[in-house]
């Protein structure tokens, strides 16, 4: 199970998690979209061999999993806990993943690019996550010939990843900026300087649970170090604005909102995924504002009660049953 | 304090309370609307003397209170607990009340008629309430000359009370009939045969807390006994329909509704009067349906957390403070 949502991290206050992703391709083989089944098989074997043969204490912690052998529910649950990308699951055939036990490291083979190295950690820790990703990159690089152009940098299927192949993202909890509507104008500003803010969980522009992902868009002509530093500056500004706005909350109204969420989570018998996310968002805010004191890890509850995570635990159940199991699991967690 | 909402009465399940009211006037004096201050004073003294001089164990339990001496908050709190009618409080000057300790008996002097005898009891007990009212009527009658016409019966200010001067009412909790919309057509039908169904608590047609008052409209050409029997038949039919409809509720959905109400009552920090009433209505339904088991008396909580009842307890507080005290008093009651 992924550890990013299991870590009682004081920094996880507003920054829920840090994600680093590196896109790499091997020279002389077409991108996955153009590969034959045989080539896909060879690619998987090749990368598996690198990990196995490197034989370091680190590589021994990694586990190779052929996606064709993973049940559908587990695949979708992996997406829910951010272990793999949603794009990775469209067709599991010819795809494999190399995972660390705590799922903080996942190397996706056969996604849009041959290799996608992902490191995801709880809280704000861009440098730490980048160092881990970079070490894996070095390990693979020493055994494989990556497609690299001395002018462009790393070559990738999609031009938006050309150069560093780096996507650094932070997941931020921004209920105050969302509630005041400021998040929209801030998104626009951040967009103009090469970063993206988008609501995760939830369709379209409406974010659920006030969780927003901020990430770099520019991968060309900028070093990894600069991209990460700039992201950190942007995020710090958003965090400061969020904190300042939270101070203007009317205390009693905030307490009421937080405790009502707690009451509903502790007592409801039917709980949809969307409602659960929004309620837990309020609990998270309550903990962060010093209103609630609990051992509950909101993001753990949040992830573990996503639809497929619930089905992984309780078996194949209907959406109606899911809402009832969700309510009962959450009641149990709080009582 | 009134006992009608304090009685853990199994009949109080759907029928919350029974109310009997008799309108009487003394011969040879104008109706209150036409009385001088001197006449009002004489009327009060006259009735006070009857009670004092009757000197029975029963009359000793009754207390005379001049309304001019009652603080405004207490007067409005008396309306909230149904001890006096809303019409009685418009101008307390020249008015008095004779009350039993538990407030189940209240004799209003100087309302629309000279004397309004009210008996209010928890649950369905029309005969018992009528007997008490009738005894008081006899006691007063023996000492006073009531305005009576051998053809019309008792004379009253408003022609709708002419005859028996009796208004018999039952307060029913009808969440299922309300939820299904059936209450409207049933009201229309009941209206046509000389009874009234109206939502109490709440303005206009929308009832709060699914509480409805059913009462007789006809006072002329019908004995008290018949009026009461007919009301009982009407109420029994409404109760049966309500019970049948409750059986069709989806169990899980009902449990969810009831427990969410409990969660909100146990955790909210700000609670308006209207929301409180609707939440307690769900608790009452939950107890009645065997979902919740609690020592809490829903109607006691309901009445004691009305605005003026709260101010009687906590002093003169703003509406905002009231919502906060209400939330905190209710949390305390449940925890």
């Amino acid at each position: 199970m992924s550890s990013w949502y299991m870590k009682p991290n004081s920094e996880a206050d507003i920054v829920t998690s840090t994600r680093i992703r590196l896109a790499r391709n091997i020279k002389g083989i077409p991108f996955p979209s153009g590969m034959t089944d045989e080539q896909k098989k060879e690619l998987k074997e090749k990368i598996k061999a690198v990990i196995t043969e490197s034989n370091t204490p680190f590589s021994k912690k990694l586990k190779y999993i052929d996606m064709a052998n993973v049940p559908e529910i587990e695949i979708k649950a992996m997406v829910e806990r951010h272990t793999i990308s949603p794009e990775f699951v469209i067709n599991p055939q010819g795809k494999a993943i190399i995972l660390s036990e705590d799922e903080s490291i996942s190397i996706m083979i056969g996604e849009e690019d041959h290799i996608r190295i992902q490191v995801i950690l709880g809280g704000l820790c861009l440098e730490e996550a980048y160092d881990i990703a970079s070490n894996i990159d070095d390990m693979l690089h020493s055994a494989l010939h990556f497609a690299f152009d001395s002018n462009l940098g790393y070559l990738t299927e999609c031009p938006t990843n050309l150069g560093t192949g780096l996507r650094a993202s932070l997941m931020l909890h921004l209920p105050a900026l969302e509630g005041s509507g400021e998040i929209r104008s801030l998104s626009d500003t951040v967009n103009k300087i090469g970063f993206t803010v988008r609501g995760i969980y939830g369709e379209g522009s409406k974010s659920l649970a006030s969780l927003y992902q901020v990430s770099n868009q520019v991968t060309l002509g900028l070093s990894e170090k600069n991209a990460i530093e700039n992201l950190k500056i942007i995020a710090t500004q958003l965090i400061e604005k969020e904190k300042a706005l939270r101070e203007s909350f009317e205390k009693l109204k905030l307490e009421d909102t937080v405790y009502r969420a707690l009451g509903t989570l502790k007592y409801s018998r039917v709980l949809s995924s969307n409602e659960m996310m929004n309620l837990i968002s309020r609990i998270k805010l309550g903990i962060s504002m010093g209103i609630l004191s609990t051992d509950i890890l909101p993001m753990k509850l949040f992830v573990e009660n996503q639809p497929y995570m619930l089905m992984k635990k309780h078996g194949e159940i209907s959406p109606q049953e899911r809402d009832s199991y969700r309510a009962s699991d959450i009641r149990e967690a709080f009582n």
Side-chain angles (χ1 to χ4, degrees), chain A:
Chain A
M1 283 296 172
S2 179
S3 67
W4 67 267
Y5 55 84
M6 299 247 197
K7 200 156 92 185
N9 191 328
S10 67
E11 286 180 304
D13 186 353
I14 287 178
V15 183
T16 299
S17 62
T18 299
R19 183 174 156 266
I20 291 286
R21 185 266 283 155
L22 295 172
R24 298 289 184 260
N25 289 282
I26 297 167
K27 209 174 166 177
I29 320 177
F31 291 126
S33 60
M35 286 168 88
T36 63
D37 288 351
E38 192 52 37
Q39 284 175 315
K40 285 181 181 171
K41 201 180 156 203
E42 279 171 25
L43 176 69
K44 291 191 288 182
E45 291 305 324
K46 195 173 231 167
I47 296 165
K48 184 182 180 181
V50 175
I51 300 296
T52 319
E53 285 159 22
S54 86
N55 208 16
T56 60
F58 175 73
S59 69
K60 278 181 186 151
K61 286 182 187 160
L62 299 175
K63 195 178 159 192
Y64 174 91
I65 303 162
D66 198 303
M67 291 308 285
N69 300 331
V70 184
E72 200 198 333
I73 287 178
E74 169 57 7
I75 290 180
K76 290 187 172 164
M78 285 170 100
V79 175
E80 287 175 344
R81 55 187 197 265
H82 299 180
T83 303
I84 56 178
S85 62
E87 294 74 22
F88 192 60
V89 307
I90 293 159
N91 177 12
Q93 292 301 322
K95 289 171 181 165
I97 189 168
I98 295 168
L99 264 188
S100 66
E101 205 184 356
D102 67 358
E103 297 189 356
S104 64
I105 299 168
S106 75
I107 306 166
M108 285 168 268
I109 306 169
E111 212 241 27
E112 189 180 87
D113 297 297
H114 294 152
I115 299 168
R116 286 275 175 105
I117 303 165
Q118 176 184 279
V119 176
I120 186 163
L121 298 173
L124 174 58
C125 38
L126 282 163
E127 291 84 359
E128 188 189 339
Y130 179 72
D131 284 348
I132 299 170
S134 195
N135 284 339
I136 299 164
D137 186 31
D138 290 346
M139 183 173 75
L140 294 171
H141 197 271
S142 64
L144 302 164
H145 293 284
F146 283 156
F148 187 85
D149 178 278
S150 55
N151 283 322
L152 292 172
Y154 291 102
L155 302 179
T156 54
E157 163 96 314
C158 179
T160 57
N161 293 315
L162 270 177
T164 57
L166 167 76
R167 181 81 70 242
S169 321
L170 296 172
M171 182 154 76
L172 306 185
H173 186 229
L174 305 174
L177 288 175
E178 182 183 82
S180 72
E182 280 185 55
I183 192 70
R184 262 166 293 161
S185 60
L186 285 168
S187 290
D188 291 346
T189 310
V190 164
N191 257 305
K192 283 174 194 150
I193 53 172
F195 291 82
T196 307
V197 180
R198 62 182 187 95
I200 41 175
Y201 298 104
E203 305 292 314
S205 62
K206 181 80 194 90
S207 165
L208 281 171
S210 311
L211 287 168
Y212 290 85
Q213 186 177 274
V214 190
S215 56
N216 69 311
Q217 281 300 97
V218 181
T219 53
L220 204 56
L222 194 74
S223 74
E224 287 88 342
K225 195 163 170 278
N226 281 340
I228 285 171
E229 269 173 7
N230 291 346
L231 175 63
K232 204 170 173 178
I233 291 166
I234 300 287
T236 305
Q237 287 184 340
L238 288 171
I239 293 165
E240 291 312 315
K241 278 184 195 294
E242 169 72 18
K243 280 186 179 164
L245 212 52
R246 286 184 183 186
E247 292 309 313
S248 69
F249 281 162
E250 198 206 315
K251 193 169 169 287
L252 187 64
K253 201 172 175 315
L254 177 65
E255 282 180 1
D256 186 53
T257 305
V258 169
Y259 277 106
R260 278 171 183 256
L262 183 62
T264 305
L265 289 168
K266 279 180 122 168
Y267 283 93
S268 75
R269 262 52 185 170
V270 182
L271 198 56
S272 74
S273 181
N274 284 7
E275 187 184 9
M276 177 274 292
M277 291 194 265
N278 284 329
L279 292 172
I280 289 187
S281 170
R282 288 172 206 163
I283 298 297
K284 189 168 157 52
L285 178 63
I287 295 171
S288 163
M289 298 286 286
I291 293 167
L292 280 185
S293 167
T294 168
D295 293 335
I296 295 278
L297 300 174
M299 289 311 295
K300 179 171 181 285
L301 220 55
F302 187 100
V303 173
E304 288 180 350
N305 284 288
Q306 295 293 326
Y308 288 95
M309 287 294 279
L310 270 178
M311 283 167 82
K312 189 173 140 78
K313 185 173 171 192
H314 296 290
E316 280 218 43
I317 45 178
S318 70
Q320 285 73 18
E321 286 170 314
R322 230 151 52 197
D323 289 352
S324 155
Y325 275 106
R326 181 179 295 115
S328 119
D329 286 5
I330 284 183
R331 276 206 310 282
E332 214 170 276
F334 273 106
N335 291 320

